[in-house]
Amino acid sequence: RDRAILSLYYGCGLRNREGQRIELTHLHYQQDLLQVLPGKTYQGRYVPMSPSVKATLQAYQDYSRPYLTNQKSCNKLIISTTGSPMRGNSMRERIKKLVSQAQITKTICLHSLRHSIATHLLQSGMPLEQISRFLGHKQLDSTQIYTRLVEELDHA
């Protein structure tokens, strides 16, 4: 489950609420796509799943998730140990625990995983317009913050 959480938030660049809302039916393994539903302040979109993200989510769904369901019927992808949908606070606490276990001293949260993938995509040469669509930004201005982050990293 931990790998599935990291894959969703880093590998797919999801916002906190977007990850919470992912249901089993939103995983389109045949097309290597994840469907992200529209929310109050953002548009829905399809996000490509890399082979490693796809493998991680599929393994979680097929092998780990069934042990957590406890015979409960839950359509959300990420569930707690009680079989209920995992909420934002639980995911935030889980990330904190993983960061602590990895002995990472930098402050890392769900949203910083989103920032990281955007920065890494930009550093690898992906056009800003594609990154903007990947992140679900309505305005290119929202994505341009990552160009400043990359420039700062390059000068550091």
Side-chain angles (χ1 to χ4, degrees):
R1 182 186 66 188
D2 294 341
R3 287 183 187 191
I5 291 169
L6 293 172
S7 289
L8 273 179
Y9 287 96
Y10 174 79
C12 298
L14 299 187
R15 296 173 176 96
N16 186 359
R17 291 292 265 156
E18 290 174 337
Q20 291 176 45
R21 297 177 70 200
I22 298 297
E23 297 180 1
L24 299 173
T25 57
H26 300 157
L27 296 161
H28 303 281
Y29 292 119
Q30 297 288 359
Q31 295 84 16
D32 300 331
L33 292 173
L34 173 70
Q35 182 181 7
V36 181
L37 295 179
K40 185 176 178 182
T41 59
Y42 54 86
Q43 300 172 322
R45 64 193 185 283
Y46 285 89
V47 176
M49 290 188 286
S50 71
S52 64
V53 168
K54 178 181 171 180
T56 298
L57 294 179
Q58 210 159 23
Y60 164 72
Q61 184 179 348
D62 294 344
Y63 303 110
S64 301
R65 191 178 180 282
Y67 289 102
L68 301 174
T69 58
N70 294 332
Q71 305 301 321
K72 288 184 182 180
S73 177
C74 179
N75 61 348
K76 299 293 183 194
L77 176 64
I78 305 296
I79 56 176
S80 69
T81 55
T82 64
S84 304
M86 203 164 179
R87 302 282 179 220
N89 285 340
S90 299
M91 280 198 228
R92 278 190 286 276
E93 289 304 312
R94 193 69 201 137
I95 291 293
K96 272 187 188 178
K97 189 169 187 170
L98 292 172
V99 167
S100 174
Q101 287 174 341
Q103 298 179 344
I104 298 171
T105 56
K106 187 176 180 182
T107 302
I108 297 175
C109 62
L110 290 172
H111 202 73
S112 61
L113 296 174
R114 178 175 161 87
H115 276 267
S116 294
I117 187 65
T119 302
H120 295 151
L121 290 172
L122 190 60
Q123 286 175 323
S124 69
M126 182 182 272
L128 199 59
E129 294 79 13
Q130 283 184 323
I131 297 170
S132 183
R133 283 195 303 275
F134 177 77
L135 295 174
H137 288 159
K138 291 179 185 176
Q139 304 289 326
L140 195 56
D141 292 352
S142 301
T143 313
Q144 286 179 329
I145 189 169
Y146 301 109
T147 58
R148 289 191 294 277
L149 291 173
V150 169
E151 287 171 1
E152 286 174 20
L153 288 172
D154 289 343
H155 295 297

